[in-house]
Amino acid sequence: MVKRKTAMKIRKAHRYLGIFIGIQFLMWTISGMYFSWTDIDEIHGDHFKKLPPETSNFENLAGISTLISEMKIHSISLKEVSGMPYYFVNNEKLVHAQDGKVIDEISEEDAKNIAQRYVKDDFKIISVEKINKVGDHHEYRSGSFPAYVINYAQPKNLKAYVGATDASFKTVRYRDWRWFDFLWMTHTMDYEGRDDFNNLVLRIFSLMGLITVLSGFLLWYISSPSIRKFQKKFK
């Protein structure tokens, strides 16, 4: 049998471990329930988007080699900017697909036009701003820069993001996504960038959680009358 003093130490360790990691266990449970009860497409803001987005057909496009013959090309895609066709070349240049004009960045008006092809017409644009960098916890932290933020008159604070150099619609963000993102941070315990599932804090708390559970089993074992009766039979 385990000595009473040893049993008290195990019980005390179990109690303090439970208090210390109890809040995190609660956040894991709350966030897990939230994730399992929400529609991920809705969290992504699909109900704000035109699916599929509006597209245009172009003709009389010039060959890219005739427009920028001096440049070696490893990637190319066709973009629509304010109703005009542009080649996005080597992930760095926008080249007009008919006259060869090169632009480094799209304008604010271009960004609004791109957003309107993707976001439903029910929502009115109230402002546009340009961003060149964001912090680790920003809702656009994984996007390219510079970018335009299009703000809409919508109760859930809807925003759309458009890349300034690649003329691409990036994403939409709104209140429910921000709650999801916060709970995701508490679930992964990545309080720096939110997306690292292999961070040290999560590993430590996972190990402490395992120790807490095992100590609970050990307490049951050393304090169970049934176990004591069973042990007496074989003495």
Side-chain angles (χ1 to χ4, degrees):
M1 293 292 294
V2 177
K3 293 181 180 179
R4 180 177 176 81
K5 187 175 182 181
T6 303
M8 289 299 295
K9 287 181 178 179
I10 296 173
R11 184 171 285 107
K12 187 175 182 180
H14 178 78
R15 184 169 64 248
Y16 282 107
L17 277 170
I19 293 173
F20 184 69
I21 66 174
I23 295 176
Q24 182 56 46
F25 271 29
L26 182 63
M27 293 308 300
W28 277 338
T29 303
I30 292 172
S31 58
M33 291 174 63
Y34 183 81
F35 300 152
S36 65
W37 287 353
T38 52
D39 182 346
I40 193 63
D41 292 328
E42 185 174 331
I43 294 298
H44 288 160
D46 287 357
H47 55 299
F48 294 119
K49 301 175 187 175
K50 298 173 182 176
L51 299 174
E54 295 177 358
T55 56
S56 301
N57 295 317
F58 299 103
E59 56 185 8
N60 301 320
L61 303 184
I64 188 64
S65 58
T66 63
L67 297 174
I68 47 173
S69 56
E70 77 287 351
M71 186 177 183
K72 293 182 179 180
I73 299 171
H74 61 76
S75 67
I76 183 172
S77 59
L78 183 64
K79 304 280 187 176
E80 180 181 345
V81 180
S82 295
M84 300 302 294
Y86 278 81
Y87 294 125
F88 187 49
V89 183
N90 293 349
N91 297 317
E92 61 181 39
K93 284 188 177 182
L94 284 166
V95 181
H96 197 291
Q98 293 170 330
D99 62 23
K101 178 183 177 181
V102 178
I103 58 174
D104 294 325
E105 295 180 8
I106 61 173
S107 67
E108 182 177 301
E109 193 63 29
D110 292 332
K112 289 167 64 176
N113 291 334
I114 291 170
Q116 287 174 333
R117 287 176 24 228
Y118 286 82
V119 178
K120 290 180 179 178
D121 297 328
D122 307 12
F123 310 109
K124 179 183 177 183
I125 295 174
I126 55 175
S127 66
V128 181
E129 59 182 307
K130 186 178 179 182
I131 54 175
N132 293 297
K133 63 178 181 178
V134 296
D136 291 338
H137 294 275
H138 194 277
E139 62 189 27
Y140 185 67
R141 57 186 175 273
S142 59
S144 61
F145 297 97
Y148 288 100
V149 188
I150 295 91
N151 300 287
Y152 292 87
Q154 205 277 335
K156 293 188 177 182
N157 192 19
L158 176 66
K159 298 177 185 288
Y161 291 86
V162 176
T165 56
D166 61 5
S168 291
F169 182 85
K170 299 297 186 181
T171 190
V172 294
R173 294 289 184 253
Y174 73 115
R175 187 188 62 197
D176 292 1
W177 183 94
R178 296 177 188 112
W179 274 113
F180 186 98
D181 189 48
F182 172 78
L183 290 172
W184 179 253
M185 177 186 68
T186 65
H187 201 76
T188 63
M189 299 194 72
D190 179 13
Y191 298 109
E192 293 183 359
R194 303 198 178 200
D195 299 315
D196 182 11
F197 242 116
N198 295 311
N199 65 81
L200 182 60
V201 176
L202 179 61
R203 291 175 178 176
I204 291 173
F205 268 76
S206 298
L207 181 59
M208 291 175 65
L210 178 61
I211 294 172
T212 302
V213 172
L214 293 178
S215 65
F217 284 134
L218 182 58
L219 280 175
W220 169 81
Y221 176 80
I222 64 177
S223 60
S224 171
S226 298
I227 295 296
R228 286 199 295 266
K229 289 178 183 178
F230 181 80
Q231 289 175 333
K232 288 179 180 178
K233 287 182 181 181
F234 293 93
K235 280 188 176 182

